[in-house]
Amino acid sequence: MLPCTTKIADLTWKPKGVILSGDADPAVFDLGVPILGICYGCQEIAWRANSANVAAGEAREYGHARADLMIQRMSPSRRLRVLTTSTSSSKALVMRCMVRTTLPNILGSFSLTRIQTVYMSHFDKLVKLPEGFTILASTPNSEFAGIAHETKPVFGVQFHPEVEHTPRGVELFKNFAVDICGARQHWVMSDFIQHEIQRIRKLVGPKAQVIGAVSGGVDSTVAARLMTEAIGDRFHAVLVDNGVMRLNECQQVKETLEKHLGINLTVIDGADLFLSRLKGLTEPEAKRKVIGSTFIDLFEEEAIRIEKAAENTPNAGKVEYFLQGTLYPDVIESLSFKGPSATIKTHHNVGGLPARMMNGQGLKLIEPLRELFKDEVREFGRQLGIHEDLVMRHPFPGPGIAIRIIGEVTPERVAIARKADHIFISMIREAGIYNEMSQAYAGLDTNRAVGVMGDARVYGYIIILRAVTTTNFMTAEPYEFKFDLLKKIARRIVNEVDGVARVTYDITSKPPGTIELE
Ligand code: XMP
């Protein structure tokens, strides 16, 4: 994965193919290797051919679309493609033309079922078919949802094959990488674990110590367990009670990590410090940055303490590294290369880190999971022997409840969100549906609403329930609760959490929403 600012001339190797997710050095097109453009990358291909090929659409298209895949391979030997077109209303097929081509069909098995569900997230679109290209797929809103060059191995899709909401998108990548680029598929998880352990041992050397944040979530636990496997007690896990964790969470996490996973753990009580620094802050990015930098302050103090404690023991090395369970989606969503792509939010474990940590004054980063998606980390965890309950635990963000409380984080508001969250998650567990959703929580709105309890008027807080399904957390759908259960949850929250007048359920998909509220 390379930023769009990469200069092809600077590459020291030649790729077998290129997947474009956006803008790129125009020299990419002179490499002579297969190219697949996705969404903005597809528009880039069309725009480079002629800027009039791309324009703002009349309607935004976010979410599921039905793509009509127009080209089917008639006979592998003759590689004849039949182009058909359909009108979205009648779905009538009209034979349009036949194109003789020597190219393999990127759609491959994907096209055997002609109508496919694909995921769209765009506003601009192709308004003209670039010269020399044919149509691969159409949706009612995008006539050119998939295109292919007639003689060169250049393809573009407006939809997103990389997300789970394009259920067969992986096949399209496989066809491109294996059939068209001639790449081999040889990555397996067990090799990755051994490879990472060796890499960590080599990087850290025989003496240096490593410090790492743990939260009890699957990412930091997997990273900590891996580190323990690689360097034993020279790895020091630190759990910071930041005052915005879930109810009783700190105690539970301590037990699991120390007793069951044999991780060398220290717990720091930072609740008052975090809450005092959050006082008066309402802007989401400001809250995230304060939480990120407070974490680092505490870690740096802890690193000094560990180093002192290790003097004159067999573990007398310096604390040189800082472990983080950063995943690939955190990396993508936090980075903005020289401005062309938007920073969605600063995840505290990536962009929120103060520069001093990165520039050598403090600690160097180790991020063994930064190329993995959540489902891969879970598989990784299983292979490291971590219990299924922990492996399947819903993720919990570093900034905790603070980014689920819209506006100011006060001790009173934290207590309300915690209690409501506890009821919500307990009822989900009791209903036996915890593993059907990927993440669920109760958040708190800034506004208040009027209610009536007994004979009295109340003016109370609004709880926002959120539960989503996803595997990679880049896109997500709201979980479809049985309405009766939602009503029971709402009733219990209003009855049992003082100060709450209303309960709402957030049904926004991601995109355009995000999973957390801030
Ligand atoms: P969003 O809200 O970006 O969340 O759709 C995607 C996933 O990332 C988690 N998340 C975070 N995790 N530090 C973390 O460790 C953060 O700052 C952070 N922000 C979001 C979120 O819980 C979801 O699983």
Side-chain angles (χ1 to χ4, degrees):
M1 294 273 187
L2 297 170
C4 58
T5 46
T6 303
K7 291 279 163 245
I8 295 297
D10 295 341
L11 290 187
T12 52
W13 45 277
K14 187 174 176 189
K16 290 193 156 130
V18 177
I19 296 177
L20 290 182
S21 64
D23 194 7
D25 179 356
V28 151
F29 297 96
D30 303 326
L31 273 170
V33 297
I35 294 176
L36 167 63
I38 294 173
C39 190
Y40 193 119
C42 173
Q43 294 168 11
E44 173 75 10
I45 292 171
W47 184 82
R48 292 248 169 234
N50 183 340
S51 60
N53 288 337
V54 181
E58 295 97 54
R60 291 172 197 275
E61 192 178 23
Y62 296 125
H64 296 283
R66 310 274 290 159
D68 192 348
L69 307 172
M70 298 192 166
I71 296 180
Q72 293 172 348
R73 203 190 294 183
M74 295 301 285
S75 117
S77 55
R78 286 186 303 150
R79 298 245 161 86
L80 278 180
R81 291 174 175 187
V82 177
L83 276 186
T84 58
T85 186
S86 73
T87 56
S88 55
S89 53
S90 68
K91 289 267 179 290
L93 291 177
V94 181
M95 191 77 85
R96 220 163 58 175
C97 59
M98 291 178 86
V99 180
R100 206 176 278 274
T101 170
T102 52
L103 286 179
N105 182 354
I106 190 181
L107 296 174
S109 55
F110 193 76
S111 68
L112 294 178
T113 322
R114 267 206 39 205
I115 304 291
Q116 290 281 333
T117 300
V118 297
Y119 198 79
M120 290 284 198
S121 179
H122 70 112
F123 183 38
D124 293 343
K125 66 177 191 179
L126 267 63
V127 287
K128 272 200 209 137
L129 185 63
E131 211 183 307
F133 279 77
T134 58
I135 303 173
L136 289 182
S138 285
T139 69
N141 187 37
S142 300
E143 188 185 351
F144 313 112
I147 57 169
H149 197 277
E150 284 172 11
T151 54
K152 296 185 214 157
V154 178
F155 307 88
V157 286
Q158 182 58 65
F159 57 87
H160 288 267
E162 77 278 18
V163 304
E164 61 183 310
H165 299 295
T166 299
R168 293 180 60 185
V170 170
E171 284 174 37
L172 198 141
F173 282 118
K174 208 166 168 181
N175 294 339
F176 179 72
V178 179
D179 294 351
I180 291 173
C181 301
R184 246 178 348 114
Q185 187 179 4
H186 57 78
W187 193 92
V188 284
M189 186 61 82
S190 49
D191 290 354
F192 179 69
I193 294 178
Q194 282 317 313
H195 176 268
E196 271 307 298
I197 289 178
Q198 297 310 328
R199 188 184 74 86
I200 290 166
R201 284 185 183 149
K202 210 163 143 205
L203 182 75
V204 175
K207 277 202 155 312
Q209 318 237 17
V210 179
I211 188 171
V214 287
S215 64
V218 61
D219 309 342
S220 60
T221 307
V222 168
R225 183 68 214 130
L226 176 73
M227 223 51 213
T228 305
E229 201 113 324
I231 59 164
D233 276 1
R234 282 193 291 137
F235 169 61
H236 305 262
V238 179
L239 173 65
V240 175
D241 182 353
N242 57 12
V244 282
M245 289 177 79
R246 280 178 288 215
L247 206 61
N248 306 327
E249 182 141 44
C250 219
Q251 195 47 40
Q252 284 166 6
V253 171
K254 184 169 162 26
E255 255 203 47
T256 312
L257 265 56
E258 269 181 349
K259 284 207 188 133
H260 303 299
L261 295 174
I263 292 170
N264 179 14
L265 179 76
T266 308
V267 181
I268 302 179
D269 180 3
D272 291 345
L273 178 65
F274 277 92
L275 288 173
S276 67
R277 288 195 183 174
L278 281 166
K279 197 160 182 245
L281 294 184
T282 51
E283 207 281 314
E285 282 295 288
K287 284 161 68 177
R288 281 172 171 275
K289 291 210 164 123
V290 156
I291 293 173
S293 62
T294 307
F295 259 102
I296 303 304
D297 288 347
L298 294 179
F299 277 125
E300 283 189 337
E301 276 173 25
E302 183 59 20
I304 293 167
R305 199 196 60 73
I306 287 171
E307 232 170 65
K308 285 222 169 93
E311 275 169 17
N312 307 321
T313 72
N315 278 347
K318 271 181 111 44
V319 176
E320 285 181 27
Y321 293 91
F322 180 84
L323 172 78
Q324 289 202 116
T326 314
L327 302 195
Y328 202 59
D330 308 340
V331 177
I332 298 170
E333 295 199 350
S334 292
L335 294 187
S336 171
F337 297 104
K338 290 198 193 142
S341 55
T343 298
I344 309 295
K345 46 176 95 167
T346 315
H347 282 218
H348 92 255
N349 48 358
V350 189
L353 292 178
R356 69 167 190 266
M357 267 217 58
M358 323 293 283
N359 66 17
Q361 189 201 331
L363 308 161
K364 290 172 264 183
L365 273 181
I366 299 190
E367 296 175 306
L369 314 180
R370 75 178 276 129
E371 289 180 3
L372 302 183
F373 283 96
K374 188 65 121 199
D375 46 338
E376 293 170 323
V377 172
R378 292 204 155 114
E379 187 47 38
F380 198 175
R382 286 188 191 102
Q383 300 217 5
L384 284 169
I386 296 174
H387 193 270
E388 191 64 18
D389 275 359
L390 209 161
V391 163
M392 288 312 291
R393 204 157 171 228
H394 293 174
F396 186 65
I401 293 181
I403 55 171
R404 297 172 171 182
I405 293 177
I406 305 179
E408 191 180 357
V409 180
T410 63
E412 183 212 5
R413 303 184 79 218
V414 170
I416 289 175
R418 260 189 187 154
K419 265 195 195 160
D421 184 74
H422 185 67
I423 294 172
F424 186 38
I425 301 298
S426 311
M427 290 185 77
I428 288 172
R429 284 196 186 278
E430 280 159 26
I433 53 175
Y434 184 84
N435 285 348
E436 286 179 20
M437 55 195 84
S438 316
Q439 196 162 1
Y441 66 86
L444 191 61
D445 199 345
T446 19
N447 294 320
R448 297 215 227 175
V450 172
V452 53
M453 285 184 192
D455 292 334
R457 172 193 191 268
V458 288
Y459 186 49
Y461 287 113
I462 305 168
I463 290 290
I464 303 167
L465 303 178
R466 181 114 170 102
V468 295
T469 55
T470 172
T471 53
N472 60 22
F473 296 81
M474 300 286 289
T475 61
E477 288 296 315
Y479 177 77
E480 294 189 24
F481 275 96
K482 295 224 166 70
F483 201 59
D484 214 40
L485 178 60
L486 266 186
K487 284 199 295 183
K488 276 189 197 141
I489 292 167
R491 201 174 313 132
R492 260 195 72 187
I493 292 176
V494 174
N495 284 341
E496 294 177 31
V497 188
D498 277 350
V500 173
R502 301 276 176 108
V503 176
T504 62
Y505 184 49
D506 182 347
I507 54 166
T508 323
S509 302
K510 173 184 179 176
T514 58
I515 295 173
E516 303 295 344
L517 291 173
E518 292 191 335

